[in-house]
Amino acid sequence: MSGDVFDPEQLSRCISCGFCLPACPTYAMTGDEASSPRGRITLMRALQDGTLPPDDPTLAEQSSFCLGCRACEPVCPAGVQYGSLLEQWRVHQWRGRRRPPLARALTLVAGQRWLLRLLGLVRGAARGPAAAPPTGQLMLGCFERGLYPGVSRAARSLDPTLAVPAAQGCCGALHAHNGDLAGGERLARGLGEELPGTIVTTSGGCAAHLASVLGPQRVRELSTWLAGRPPGVELRVAGRRARVTLQDSCHLRNGLGVFAEPRALLRQVADYVELPSAATCCGAAGTYSLLRPKDSRRILDGKLDEIEAAGVDLVVAVNPGCLRQLRTGLRRRRSAVRAVHLAELLAEAATPDRP
């Protein structure tokens, strides 16, 4: 038997009601019960009680095929913490050499503090003490500081009272979602010690992970940190008020319940257009777009159709993985729609001398 894989109390909560099925992107894509949260929990129970052997191929496939978007959690009447169960499942399925080589490489890089600092310095990510007594600590995403250094600079420009220690490490979200739950929790606790007080992050996925380890009172995603502040100037495109839309961060919305705040900030500076699928996953899902690119692209394609049909100028992300996914997809289509991070858009609106 494999009875030590899952927390028994969490696993027992599912009542197999099926409310999760319509919310699940992989079930919508396949219509396969095994590819739904209910079906996957049935597989977890079979693994836990020994009905299925640990090396069963269906277990390996479904633990990987799941996006981990947690869209099933808000609609679950029994309060099943599916995201936590998935992390426990991947610890078991991806132990040792079974972890996908790319996931192993990414977590290895993210765990190298010196390399992360070098990336931030070379790419020009924000750093340094606050302009006044610090009100919070700005977290630099492990890969965001290298791929999108302008995001942290924009966030710092919106609130110069944020301190940005350059030597900070990874929050551990990447590890927790890729089969190293203990490592992810250790890194989150370490970052909490490095960044005293309130931690402000520009990544929805990092916010949810840090909140689960350090407690929600220690962590603020940028839109909640800026909520209620005076609006910037109106963003204009071709002589008219800009039309913008938002792609939710799955973990931010489903894990922390944050979705109204970024929309309120966008409505202050532009005409906001809601996408029908704004609350559903874009297919980025952390490392998912790299580990399962074909499935990720299938999920993204319908969303890109909606974005282009909406007639918007900009699609806004609140998570670096989503930003990469949207930019890659729109560039592939040669779309005129531009994908930006919320911090960058708000910083542009806050510039007093923009035309």
Side-chain angles (χ1 to χ4, degrees):
M1 294 179 65
S2 305
D4 59 349
V5 177
F6 303 100
D7 180 319
E9 191 278 330
Q10 290 186 24
L11 196 60
S12 67
R13 286 189 186 182
C14 178
I15 57 176
S16 300
C17 64
F19 276 76
C20 58
L21 269 63
C24 178
T26 53
Y27 178 74
M29 187 163 54
T30 65
D32 182 3
E33 171 76 14
S35 299
S36 73
R38 181 175 69 180
R40 290 186 176 111
I41 288 176
T42 299
L43 291 173
M44 293 178 198
R45 287 171 171 166
L47 172 62
Q48 183 87 334
D49 64 21
T51 304
L52 285 178
D55 58 353
D56 184 271
T58 304
L59 293 174
E61 169 62 12
Q62 289 301 332
S63 64
S64 172
F65 186 33
C66 179
L67 289 151
C69 67
R70 299 173 63 179
C72 49
E73 292 186 20
V75 300
C76 178
V80 175
Q81 297 174 0
Y82 180 84
S84 178
L85 289 171
L86 178 63
E87 289 177 349
Q88 295 168 43
W89 196 9
R90 286 183 175 170
V91 168
H92 175 80
Q93 294 295 147
W94 291 1
R95 64 194 184 282
R97 294 182 178 274
R98 294 185 180 182
R99 187 183 303 181
L102 182 56
R104 190 182 305 120
L106 291 171
T107 53
L108 179 63
V109 170
Q112 304 301 309
R113 181 191 302 270
W114 67 270
L115 181 56
L116 298 181
R117 183 176 187 182
L118 180 62
L119 280 173
L121 291 173
V122 170
R123 295 285 289 150
R127 67 180 189 274
T135 58
Q137 308 278 341
L138 181 63
M139 192 202 87
L140 296 173
C142 52
F143 288 102
E144 183 186 80
R145 69 186 84 180
L147 293 173
Y148 306 116
V151 172
S152 59
R153 294 197 302 267
R156 181 70 175 282
S157 73
L158 291 166
D159 187 353
T161 70
L162 290 171
V164 194
Q168 60 185 273
C170 175
C171 76
L174 189 68
H175 300 71
H177 300 159
N178 286 276
D180 184 10
L181 183 55
E185 292 177 349
R186 183 178 63 252
L187 286 168
R189 286 191 293 270
L191 187 64
E193 294 174 358
E194 294 174 41
L195 305 181
T198 302
I199 299 173
V200 180
T201 173
T202 52
S203 169
C206 297
H209 173 67
L210 280 173
S212 71
V213 178
L214 303 180
Q217 73 282 355
R218 285 283 317 273
V219 184
R220 300 283 295 278
E221 185 270 333
L222 183 68
S223 69
T224 66
W225 182 253
L226 298 176
R229 303 202 175 194
V233 299
E234 182 181 77
L235 286 173
R236 301 187 69 80
V237 173
R240 57 170 172 76
R241 189 174 169 92
R243 288 171 57 85
V244 304
T245 190
L246 177 76
Q247 169 58 41
D248 279 303
S249 158
C250 293
H251 279 213
L252 186 64
R253 182 179 182 115
N254 301 323
L256 292 180
V258 174
F259 55 89
E261 292 86 347
R263 288 166 169 80
L265 290 170
L266 291 175
R267 289 189 175 100
Q268 290 179 346
V269 298
D271 288 338
Y272 180 74
V273 180
E274 183 75 10
L275 293 178
S277 71
T280 64
C281 188
C282 66
T287 59
Y288 192 90
S289 62
L290 301 174
L291 298 178
R292 300 188 66 116
K294 290 183 179 179
D295 294 324
S296 173
R297 185 166 174 174
R298 286 177 66 189
I299 293 167
L300 176 64
D301 281 343
K303 191 172 294 286
L304 294 177
D305 291 340
E306 285 187 6
I307 291 171
E308 295 192 301
V312 296
D313 305 297
L314 300 156
V315 55
V316 178
V318 289
N319 191 70
C322 303
L323 180 59
R324 175 187 173 277
Q325 177 85 334
L326 294 168
R327 281 188 177 175
T328 300
L330 291 169
R331 189 181 301 119
R332 186 168 58 239
R333 290 192 175 197
R334 299 183 179 179
S335 173
V337 181
R338 185 163 59 100
V340 299
H341 192 281
L342 177 68
E344 295 173 307
L345 182 141
L346 294 178
E348 183 179 350
T351 305
D353 59 350
R354 68 179 304 278

